[in-house]
Amino acid sequence: MAKGIRAKTITWCAALCALIAPSVVTQLANTKRNADLTADIVESSLTVHLRRAEVVIDLAVDALRKADGHNLSRCDDAALARMRRFVLVTAAIKEFSVLNADGSIACGNLGKTSDVIRFGPHFGGADPQVLFYAVRYADNGQLGIRIASQASETRALGVIVPAEWIVPAGLSVRHAAIHGITVSLSDGPVIVNDTQASELLESDRIEVTRTSGRYPISVTVAGSRSAVVREELSLTLLSHLAAIVIGLLGATLIIIQGRRHRDDLLSEMKAALIDREFVPFYQPILDLDTGKLKGCEVLVRWRKPDGTIVPPGAFIDLAERSGFIFPLTLYLMEQAAADLGPVFRARPGLRCGFNLCAEHFRNDHIVADVTKRFTSSTLPLSQLLLEVTERDPLPDVDLARRIIAAFQGMGVRVALDDVGTGHGGMSYLLKLGVDVMKIDKLFVDAISTERYSTAIIDSLIDLAAHMRMEVVAEGVETFEQVEALRRRGVQAAQGFVFAPALPASSFRLLVESMEAVPSIKQGDVFVV
């Protein structure tokens, strides 16, 4: 009997080994595959970030080259106007200056003074006439690269590319395996240091550095092998069953916690509105034919007491579904009227746009609210543009049409936002009688690259022309998109290629500086 028990024990042990052995072999193979995958992910991220850095510097160097021949080193009014124009239309640069031989500023779009501190040596690229060196802003510590080219025997032209535009917040190519992105001038000063790579063990870390062939910049990306292993690990049937149980328990806890968090967040938002923590930012809208400012779209940011900025995506959905959107919208209108009223009243051709959601069209109270806010305001009703968004379907299209007609009767123009991506589609265009069609960034990104998206844009533009609507393109980020939109007859656009959403003080300066810029003829090198 003992012999039989021993045989059964050996049999069960052998069966267990046979069950485990394939898993062990598979795990070893996955480890090797995941190590190779980590290297591929790091290389891919590196390629994207190096290419982006080169494109941003391309724009800055191109601005310098275009400036050559305009005799900006004279520092007269025309030269200063052109510098401001360069900064406005070149998304890559923050500051344009004429530099003396000792590196001091002779003049620039920000005046003769600057809090920029140079550190580290200068570096040259493929073009020996162009020099690069690292700078730091004294007031906030922001880093950047100054690019300079000789303009005369005693003066040079210089532009500053901020570090945040080389690797923008929220645009980093991220994966669980990526733990660090560093950009430096050759082997010199570090310009971007977005990294947690120091937390990695040396045995787990894979790091790759590549230097541009045209500019003196190096990009380093660090990755974690174990992160990919965790991402790619295949589970056994038992782990699947365990995951289902854990998932059900976790989902229950998440739902309970989510409801609690929702209530807490809403209470925090209400307190923040009382404390005036919600701040309007202004996205400039430009005329594609003349380059002149047509107005702005009001966007909201939540600036907490510690200075952190909460983007609207983190709270707008809750605001709309809880009813908090009503006091928030009215607050933004009051604040925008205070911010922009005087400067807009002096320029009656400008319009200020506000977003309205589906909840605003459940009744006609919004008409009375808007009338009350702007009838005696420094920002006239005739300079308002109300944008109807399609995140949720309109509860009553006929009522919405009557509300829109009431606004139009007061001189307010109405736009349909995110056309082609929301719930209403073409039916809203046909039924609501709006004045402006706003083409969503989704289609702008695909213009000239995806046949069907290009066909949709062409159809929308043609429809707008027949319905006598103005067309505004959103999310325009490249000069190629600008040219493609102009060829199709689009009158106006907004997006990163022109300017990001700006705080009130910066937007007012933009309005005043553009008003002072001389008219630029069609075909001039600065027209976009």
Side-chain angles (χ1 to χ4, degrees):
M1 185 170 178
K3 186 177 180 179
I5 293 174
R6 188 166 57 251
K8 287 183 179 180
T9 302
I10 294 173
T11 300
W12 279 107
C13 288
L16 182 61
C17 289
L19 181 65
I20 294 174
S23 297
V24 173
V25 172
T26 300
Q27 179 60 34
L28 293 174
N30 281 338
T31 300
K32 173 64 168 62
R33 181 176 65 86
N34 290 329
D36 294 339
L37 181 58
T38 305
D40 291 341
I41 291 170
V42 170
E43 281 286 345
S44 175
S45 178
L46 179 63
T47 298
V48 170
H49 284 289
L50 180 59
R51 176 56 183 152
R52 176 178 177 83
E54 289 179 333
V55 167
V56 170
I57 294 177
D58 280 342
L59 293 173
V61 172
D62 185 58
L64 283 176
R65 287 172 178 162
K66 288 179 178 178
D68 189 24
H70 288 289
N71 205 7
L72 301 186
S73 59
R74 294 180 306 182
C75 286
D76 56 14
D77 289 342
L80 293 174
R82 287 187 179 275
M83 290 182 209
R84 289 192 292 267
R85 183 65 176 167
F86 272 118
V87 173
L88 175 65
V89 302
T90 307
I93 62 177
K94 179 178 181 179
E95 184 176 319
F96 200 118
S97 306
V98 175
L99 307 174
N100 294 315
D102 61 357
S104 62
I105 294 177
C107 65
N109 70 299
L110 299 180
K112 292 186 178 181
T113 60
S114 175
D115 60 349
V116 173
I117 301 172
R118 171 180 172 177
F119 66 98
H122 68 262
F123 299 88
D127 184 348
Q129 300 300 316
V130 180
L131 297 179
F132 301 75
Y133 50 89
V135 295
R136 177 189 296 109
Y137 282 87
D139 58 344
N140 58 16
Q142 183 187 41
L143 300 177
I145 300 174
R146 172 163 273 162
I147 307 172
S149 66
Q150 200 70 25
S152 67
E153 292 183 1
T154 59
R155 288 184 171 181
L157 300 180
V159 297
I160 293 180
V161 178
E164 63 183 8
W165 291 354
I166 297 173
V167 181
L171 290 183
S172 296
V173 177
R174 286 300 192 185
H175 184 279
I178 303 300
H179 279 248
I181 300 167
T182 304
V183 181
S184 61
L185 279 177
S186 294
D187 297 325
V190 173
I191 305 301
V192 176
N193 189 24
D194 179 14
T195 179
Q196 301 87 39
S198 59
E199 302 171 3
L200 300 177
L201 297 175
E202 195 62 30
S203 59
D204 186 35
R205 177 174 176 167
I206 179 170
E207 184 173 288
V208 182
T209 300
R210 190 180 303 160
T211 300
S212 169
R214 295 183 292 122
Y215 301 119
I217 54 170
S218 298
V219 177
T220 299
V221 176
S224 165
R225 294 184 179 91
S226 61
V228 172
V229 172
R230 289 192 296 270
E231 289 287 315
E232 299 294 323
L233 186 62
S234 297
L235 300 178
T236 62
L237 177 60
L238 181 60
S239 64
H240 278 299
L241 294 174
I244 291 172
V245 175
I246 294 172
L248 290 173
L249 293 174
T252 303
L253 292 174
I254 289 172
I255 291 171
I256 295 172
Q257 184 64 29
R259 289 178 177 173
R260 183 179 302 167
H261 174 72
R262 178 187 182 278
D263 294 340
D264 291 344
L265 179 59
L266 185 57
S267 298
E268 187 180 357
M269 288 162 59
K270 291 177 179 178
L273 186 62
I274 295 173
D275 294 336
R276 306 181 71 85
E277 294 176 14
F278 290 101
V279 181
F281 274 54
Y282 302 94
Q283 174 78 62
I285 301 175
L286 273 76
D287 188 305
L288 292 183
D289 288 327
T290 65
K292 292 184 177 181
L293 193 67
K294 292 179 71 67
C296 64
E297 177 182 352
V298 179
L299 305 174
V300 63
R301 303 289 186 268
W302 182 358
R303 181 182 290 147
K304 293 195 171 184
D306 62 2
T308 58
I309 299 293
V310 182
F315 59 84
I316 283 295
D317 184 66
L318 176 57
E320 292 180 357
R321 299 185 187 285
S322 65
F324 181 74
I325 194 66
F326 299 114
L328 178 60
T329 300
L330 297 179
Y331 167 80
L332 291 174
M333 288 179 173
E334 291 174 352
Q335 189 61 49
D339 288 342
L340 305 183
V343 72
F344 266 48
R345 181 176 284 274
R347 298 163 177 83
L350 300 182
R351 287 189 179 270
C352 183
F354 298 92
N355 288 297
L356 300 182
C357 67
E359 292 300 312
H360 285 109
F361 292 89
R362 289 196 177 277
N363 53 57
D364 60 1
H365 294 170
I366 186 63
V367 177
D369 288 335
V370 171
T371 304
K372 179 180 178 182
R373 293 306 184 282
F374 291 101
T375 297
S376 58
S377 167
T378 55
L379 184 61
L381 284 165
S382 59
Q383 288 185 264
L384 298 189
L385 175 68
L386 300 181
E387 302 184 13
V388 183
T389 62
E390 295 187 60
R391 281 187 293 269
D392 291 312
L394 293 171
D396 186 333
V397 175
D398 293 332
L399 175 60
R401 175 67 192 107
R402 292 195 296 273
I403 293 172
I404 289 171
F407 280 131
Q408 292 168 329
M410 298 186 296
V412 177
R413 300 188 79 198
V414 181
L416 186 62
D417 200 9
D418 305 324
V419 170
T421 63
H423 291 79
M426 294 296 183
S427 65
Y428 281 5
L429 280 175
L430 299 174
K431 295 178 181 178
L432 295 181
V434 298
D435 307 292
V436 180
M437 174 195 299
K438 300 194 76 173
I439 298 177
D440 188 77
K441 183 181 187 298
L442 173 70
F443 297 114
V444 173
D445 285 342
I447 194 169
S448 300
T449 60
E450 295 183 11
R451 183 177 48 152
Y452 296 116
S453 292
T454 301
I456 291 173
I457 288 181
D458 290 339
S459 299
L460 290 173
I461 295 171
D462 185 61
L463 179 61
H466 283 85
M467 298 180 70
R468 298 188 178 183
M469 294 181 186
E470 181 181 352
V471 178
V472 178
E474 298 182 291
V476 181
E477 295 184 348
T478 68
F479 290 109
E480 290 78 8
Q481 292 171 349
V482 171
E483 289 304 321
L485 292 166
R486 287 183 63 193
R487 288 196 302 271
R488 287 168 168 79
V490 175
Q491 303 100 323
Q494 61 190 87
F496 186 75
V497 71
F498 304 116
L502 302 171
S505 58
S506 299
F507 182 70
R508 284 195 299 266
L509 287 175
L510 175 65
V511 173
E512 292 165 354
S513 65
M514 290 193 70
E515 186 74 12
V517 174
S519 298
I520 298 174
K521 301 186 294 297
Q522 182 70 22
D524 192 295
V525 70
F526 304 120
V527 174
V528 294

